[in-house]
Amino acid sequence: MGLVVQKYGGSSVADAEGIKRVAKRIVEAKKNGNQVVVVVSAMGDTTDELIDLAGQVSPMPAGREFDMLLTAGERISMALLAMAIKNLGHEAQSFTGSQAGVITDSVHNKARIIDVTPGRIRESLDKGNIAIVAGFQGVSADKKDITTLGRGGSDTTAVALAAALDAEVCEIYTDVDGVFTADPRVVKKAKKIDWISFEDMLELAASGSKVLLHRCVEYARRYNIPIHVRSSFSGLQGTWVSSEPIGDKKVEQAIISGVAHDTSEAKITVVGVPDKPGEAAAIFRAIADAAINIDMVVQNVSAASTGLTDISFTLPKTEGRKAIDALEKSRSGIGFDSLRYDDQIGKISLVGAGMKTNPGVTASFFEALSDAGVNIELISTSEIRISVVTRKDDVPEAVRAVHTAFGLDSDTDEAVVYGGTGR
Amino acid sequence: MGLVVQKYGGSSVADAEGIKRVAKRIVEAKKNGNQVVVVVSAMGDTTDELIDLAGQVSPMPAGREFDMLLTAGERISMALLAMAIKNLGHEAQSFTGSQAGVITDSVHNKARIIDVTPGRIRESLDKGNIAIVAGFQGVSADKKDITTLGRGGSDTTAVALAAALDAEVCEIYTDVDGVFTADPRVVKKAKKIDWISFEDMLELAASGSKVLLHRCVEYARRYNIPIHVRSSFSGLQGTWVSSEPIGDKKVEQAIISGVAHDTSEAKITVVGVPDKPGEAAAIFRAIADAAINIDMVVQNVSAASTGLTDISFTLPKTEGRKAIDALEKSRSGIGFDSLRYDDQIGKISLVGAGMKTNPGVTASFFEALSDAGVNIELISTSEIRISVVTRKDDVPEAVRAVHTAFGLDSDTDEAVVYGGTGR
């Protein structure tokens, strides 16, 4: 008998109908002879409503209490899901993150899982129950306070439980049929990917693909847990993410896995930096001290006449204000002329392990952008990814051009998006 | 420094405004030099909405999961309340029933508190925090499952915590100014009671007064915790419930504390019962085996000619169907002619320790009812209470007549009801 972990996002359990539909699917997995553990997010907009309520009573909700508040969301969905399953004649028990043994550090609102001790889950499974677990939440090791895992936390809960329970697969149910070669909302002819390696999936996630978050894929790779991303609305096979193709999925690794884009970043240019050792270090020390993660970095060639150079980097728009403040504060120490802030940028990335051994991928990529009339502002590359920054308005056209140029277009418009986006 | 436990019902924290108002009141108590523990119910209609959701996914929601679901309600209100207090510049921490050490038996949906181990609350208070505790919920001693305490459970949580923490007082905040000599919705001239003994309060609660539930008063009496029932909307002194009048409240015990009424009961008459030993026992054994609590019982004088008698008793309307079924099933064993079911009855009760030593109270009570043209169907008495059953439609008139006859009327229409009714 196999053990399957299934995760359902908020859009899959948005209302009573959704919960009943999901319950049927879970019972089917159980009937197929599996032990089933289900990780569930809060229903539809519940989390947003709770955040809104918090904003009404306090302009800056505090970490510990904010987590206590938000975790009410999964408590509701998991209890309802257990009831719906019982109503289909199968035994189910729901467990909070704490009850399920999801142990985290004490960083409220974005805690990290440090251990999973699923004794109660194992016990419940051994009694023949289906176990329902609240996603996105845990309990801190030292203070025994309730914590939340931050954005995409339910996916991480699912993978972590799958690892701790030695599951055969972690099925991530969402509102799309799987991982596509590009965002189907931008590229109508995007194709579903049948299998993708952990490495390529990590690069896609880092480059703006929203289906799976980086952290969750990283966790799955570390413990070698195959992920099956699929729709809770259709019954179709989705995308397998694993180290090697699984079972009859003898798919050869494609040269290019897909095209990702990201319009959530901004660019800061530090103008007139003295071109001498230690300057760049001073800039990025100031940024790092403010706990801001940056993405791409480019330094212009210094103008010989002035001995000054410009340094540009990208970062999440949400961190823009903080970064500017941090740099202004260190201005005298660093010594630069001015700062330029630009939030009208977009990033397009081409991902594929095949590019390591296929020369010419970079050239074809730039040619496709050039043919589409898209100007490139920054470039960054890894072994299996090329990313460029362009004007934000150019992003859709650029993504479509690159998708076509690398032969990724499907013969039909196959991509379907079923609902909103879960947590 | 004193320790005060305050409890706020659902109507007091129905929305963000309510939560902020309550937060201010809590901070005031803290500023007055008290250690403050707050027990809070779910916001307004939250519980009803959750029950409705449960009904949509399952016609008969199961105990364990139903409790898991409902306890999300207090989780939301307590977290928001803690945030609102922090926003006023004071430290607050919220605790679930389980975290607060509210240990119960395993009877889901109506668990009983068997122990309170408030170590974390004490610790939080000692750090100078205000502790916010979820009402209505606990954790089962044996299975570590989440339980709920049933109707009025938050009041019981508050009194139990007050006892465990050796509090000076348990303040129950509600949407009325206190306990009145009659239901202010029926008797405009009802007076607020300044002080009432545990015993009289117990009789009022058992007779239909809704302000405090029997179970909560019982708990307070056992541990001798003074209760102060007051409004969270007005700043007025409310009603003190305690063994002896407190502080400057040197109030002499009134002869009559108040008039309570109850229209939630039905009457079953078992017609044509053989008048021989063991018959009544057989009837009430059948009822008890169905786990139904009955209230008043009356047996008619047997008609000598037939050797048959009738036995009537009252019980909650909600148990009517079950009681009829139980009696029908035991019909052959008991031997009776027929059953009559009547849900158009009402009960009026006069409560006061003074009636023990004041002869004539019973006579005056019956005279008042007779003057008001109200027919009496059943009578039952205790040392400090007289109750009668009448037609349901006669109840308001009967309550007013008795209230006036015993000199309880206020000179003004003073009673104010501020909102709905909390849990």
Side-chain angles (χ1 to χ4, degrees):
Chain A
M1 191 195 284
L3 195 157
V4 174
V5 174
Q6 299 188 329
K7 179 262 169 176
Y8 294 91
S11 58
S12 298
V13 293
D15 53 22
E17 284 318 303
I19 287 171
K20 288 195 269 189
R21 189 188 64 241
V22 164
K24 271 187 210 150
R25 190 178 281 274
I26 294 167
V27 165
E28 245 164 65
K30 171 81 178 166
K31 280 188 185 157
N32 287 341
N34 297 295
Q35 290 192 315
V36 185
V37 176
V38 176
V39 174
V40 68
S41 299
M43 293 171 73
D45 302 325
T46 308
T47 304
D48 289 338
E49 286 164 20
L50 292 174
I51 292 173
D52 181 57
L53 263 175
Q56 287 178 44
V57 301
S58 170
M60 31 171 200
R64 180 184 186 278
E65 303 308 321
F66 200 55
D67 281 354
M68 187 67 98
L69 177 73
L70 293 190
T71 52
E74 290 81 33
R75 201 176 188 87
I76 294 171
S77 55
M78 75 182 189
L80 290 172
L81 189 52
M83 288 178 199
I85 291 170
K86 277 168 181 268
N87 196 40
L88 297 175
H90 288 258
E91 282 306 313
Q93 283 194 315
S94 66
F95 297 92
T96 63
S98 168
Q99 290 175 336
V102 179
I103 316 291
T104 73
D105 60 23
S106 296
V107 184
H108 284 291
N109 309 346
K110 48 180 179 181
R112 295 194 77 89
I113 296 176
I114 55 180
D115 196 11
V116 181
T117 54
R120 289 188 71 175
I121 303 295
R122 182 72 79 185
E123 207 176 288
S124 188
L125 291 174
D126 288 347
K127 284 185 188 149
N129 297 327
I130 294 165
I132 316 287
V133 178
F136 179 66
Q137 57 179 250
V139 63
S140 67
D142 51 351
K143 297 190 189 153
K144 307 292 171 213
D145 281 334
I146 303 303
T147 53
T148 65
L149 307 178
R151 199 164 144 255
S154 292
D155 289 2
T156 310
T157 304
V159 171
L161 269 173
L165 292 164
D166 202 18
E168 283 182 0
V169 59
C170 179
E171 296 184 335
I172 306 274
Y173 284 89
T174 180
D175 51 6
V176 289
D177 280 327
V179 182
F180 281 75
T181 49
D183 184 338
R185 277 162 296 204
V186 173
V187 182
K188 287 264 175 293
K189 289 188 181 304
K191 267 191 299 205
K192 189 180 72 192
I193 300 171
D194 290 328
W195 171 76
I196 185 171
S197 67
F198 285 128
E199 289 69 26
D200 278 19
M201 193 64 232
L202 280 173
E203 289 284 1
L204 279 181
S207 305
S209 167
K210 305 251 177 344
V211 185
L212 287 179
L213 286 184
H214 196 270
R215 193 169 159 196
C216 151
V217 182
E218 218 173 36
Y219 209 109
R221 181 172 65 163
R222 191 180 334 142
Y223 293 98
N224 199 19
I225 300 295
I227 298 179
H228 186 187
V229 184
R230 56 195 306 195
S231 162
S232 73
F233 294 81
S234 80
L236 302 174
Q237 280 282 312
T239 300
W240 285 84
V241 188
S242 56
S243 52
E244 299 290 334
I246 286 189
D248 58 350
K249 297 246 162 290
K250 297 285 177 223
V251 189
E252 189 142 343
Q253 174 121 27
I255 295 175
I256 298 301
S257 285
V259 186
H261 71 273
D262 190 351
T263 53
S264 70
E265 297 194 335
K267 183 174 70 173
I268 289 177
T269 304
V270 188
V271 181
V273 181
D275 193 5
K276 60 180 191 206
E279 284 297 311
I283 289 173
F284 293 109
R285 170 52 54 204
I287 296 293
D289 285 349
I292 297 166
N293 287 319
I294 59 167
D295 183 16
M296 296 163 73
V297 180
V298 170
Q299 174 168 352
N300 289 356
V301 175
S302 166
S305 57
T306 61
L308 298 175
T309 185
D310 300 342
I311 295 181
S312 297
F313 61 92
T314 64
L315 77 177
K317 272 179 210 172
T318 48
E319 306 281 26
R321 187 72 257 163
K322 213 160 65 169
I324 294 285
D325 288 349
L327 289 172
E328 286 293 0
K329 258 205 308 214
S330 333
R331 185 169 191 152
S332 61
I334 304 172
F336 56 84
D337 282 350
S338 61
L339 296 173
R340 257 186 251 140
Y341 182 72
D342 179 357
D343 61 4
Q344 293 301 308
I345 63 162
K347 185 173 70 168
I348 299 113
S349 303
L350 189 69
V351 171
M355 66 175 72
K356 280 190 280 198
T357 50
N358 281 269
V361 167
T362 308
S364 305
F365 181 57
F366 292 157
E367 277 162 18
L369 291 172
S370 165
D371 289 349
V374 174
N375 192 40
I376 298 170
E377 303 183 14
L378 299 177
I379 301 171
S380 117
T381 60
S382 82
E383 257 201 310
I384 61 173
R385 175 185 52 78
I386 321 169
S387 301
V388 296
V389 165
T390 67
R391 287 293 87 200
K392 189 178 172 188
D393 293 342
D394 286 340
V395 166
E397 187 49 38
V399 171
R400 280 189 289 266
V402 171
H403 197 265
T404 303
F406 282 89
L408 297 171
D409 286 1
S410 152
D411 298 336
T412 56
D413 297 355
E414 68 173 50
V416 186
V417 180
Y418 299 91
T421 309
R423 178 157 72 194
Chain B
M1 190 195 283
L3 196 157
V4 174
V5 175
Q6 300 189 329
K7 178 261 172 178
Y8 294 91
S11 59
S12 298
V13 292
D15 52 22
E17 284 318 302
I19 287 171
K20 287 194 269 188
R21 191 188 61 242
V22 164
K24 271 187 211 149
R25 191 177 280 276
I26 293 166
V27 165
E28 247 164 64
K30 172 80 178 165
K31 279 188 185 160
N32 288 339
N34 298 294
Q35 288 193 315
V36 185
V37 176
V38 177
V39 174
V40 67
S41 300
M43 294 170 73
D45 302 326
T46 308
T47 304
D48 288 339
E49 286 163 19
L50 291 174
I51 292 173
D52 180 58
L53 262 175
Q56 287 178 44
V57 302
S58 170
M60 27 172 202
R64 180 185 186 280
E65 302 308 322
F66 199 56
D67 280 354
M68 187 67 99
L69 178 72
L70 294 190
T71 51
E74 290 81 33
R75 200 177 189 85
I76 294 171
S77 54
M78 73 182 189
L80 290 172
L81 190 51
M83 288 178 200
I85 291 170
K86 277 167 180 270
N87 195 40
L88 297 176
H90 288 258
E91 281 307 311
Q93 282 195 314
S94 66
F95 297 93
T96 63
S98 167
Q99 292 175 335
V102 180
I103 316 291
T104 72
D105 60 22
S106 296
V107 184
H108 282 292
N109 308 346
K110 48 179 178 181
R112 295 194 77 89
I113 295 176
I114 54 180
D115 196 10
V116 181
T117 54
R120 290 188 70 175
I121 303 296
R122 183 72 80 183
E123 206 176 291
S124 188
L125 292 174
D126 288 347
K127 284 186 188 147
N129 296 328
I130 293 166
I132 316 287
V133 178
F136 178 66
Q137 58 180 248
V139 63
S140 66
D142 52 350
K143 296 187 188 156
K144 308 291 171 213
D145 279 335
I146 303 303
T147 53
T148 65
L149 307 177
R151 199 167 143 254
S154 290
D155 289 1
T156 311
T157 303
V159 171
L161 269 174
L165 291 165
D166 201 17
E168 283 183 0
V169 58
C170 179
E171 297 185 334
I172 306 275
Y173 285 89
T174 179
D175 51 6
V176 290
D177 280 327
V179 181
F180 280 75
T181 49
D183 185 337
R185 277 162 297 205
V186 173
V187 182
K188 287 264 176 294
K189 289 189 182 301
K191 268 192 299 208
K192 189 181 72 191
I193 300 172
D194 289 329
W195 172 75
I196 185 171
S197 68
F198 284 129
E199 289 69 26
D200 278 18
M201 193 64 232
L202 280 173
E203 289 285 0
L204 280 180
S207 304
S209 167
K210 303 246 174 354
V211 185
L212 286 179
L213 287 184
H214 195 272
R215 193 170 159 195
C216 152
V217 183
E218 218 171 36
Y219 209 110
R221 180 171 66 161
R222 193 179 332 143
Y223 294 97
N224 198 21
I225 300 296
I227 298 179
H228 186 187
V229 184
R230 56 196 306 195
S231 162
S232 72
F233 294 82
S234 81
L236 302 174
Q237 281 282 312
T239 300
W240 284 85
V241 188
S242 56
S243 52
E244 300 290 336
I246 286 188
D248 57 349
K249 296 247 163 289
K250 297 283 176 220
V251 189
E252 188 140 343
Q253 172 121 26
I255 295 175
I256 297 301
S257 285
V259 186
H261 71 272
D262 190 352
T263 53
S264 70
E265 296 194 334
K267 183 175 72 173
I268 288 177
T269 304
V270 188
V271 181
V273 181
D275 192 5
K276 58 179 194 206
E279 282 297 312
I283 287 172
F284 293 107
R285 171 53 52 204
I287 295 294
D289 286 349
I292 296 166
N293 286 320
I294 60 167
D295 182 16
M296 296 164 72
V297 180
V298 170
Q299 175 166 350
N300 287 356
V301 176
S302 167
S305 57
T306 59
L308 297 177
T309 185
D310 299 342
I311 294 181
S312 297
F313 62 93
T314 62
L315 76 177
K317 272 180 207 170
T318 47
E319 305 282 25
R321 185 73 257 162
K322 214 160 65 167
I324 294 286
D325 288 350
L327 289 171
E328 284 293 359
K329 259 206 308 215
S330 334
R331 184 170 193 149
S332 60
I334 304 171
F336 57 83
D337 282 349
S338 60
L339 295 174
R340 259 187 251 141
Y341 182 74
D342 180 357
D343 60 5
Q344 293 302 308
I345 63 161
K347 186 173 71 166
I348 298 112
S349 304
L350 188 69
V351 172
M355 68 174 70
K356 279 190 281 197
T357 49
N358 281 271
V361 168
T362 309
S364 305
F365 182 56
F366 291 158
E367 276 162 19
L369 291 173
S370 165
D371 289 350
V374 173
N375 193 39
I376 297 171
E377 304 183 14
L378 298 177
I379 300 171
S380 116
T381 61
S382 82
E383 258 200 309
I384 59 172
R385 177 186 50 78
I386 322 170
S387 300
V388 296
V389 165
T390 67
R391 286 294 87 198
K392 188 178 170 188
D393 292 343
D394 287 339
V395 167
E397 188 48 39
V399 171
R400 280 189 289 265
V402 172
H403 197 264
T404 303
F406 282 90
L408 297 172
D409 285 0
S410 152
D411 298 335
T412 55
D413 296 356
E414 68 172 51
V416 185
V417 180
Y418 299 90
T421 310
R423 178 157 76 192

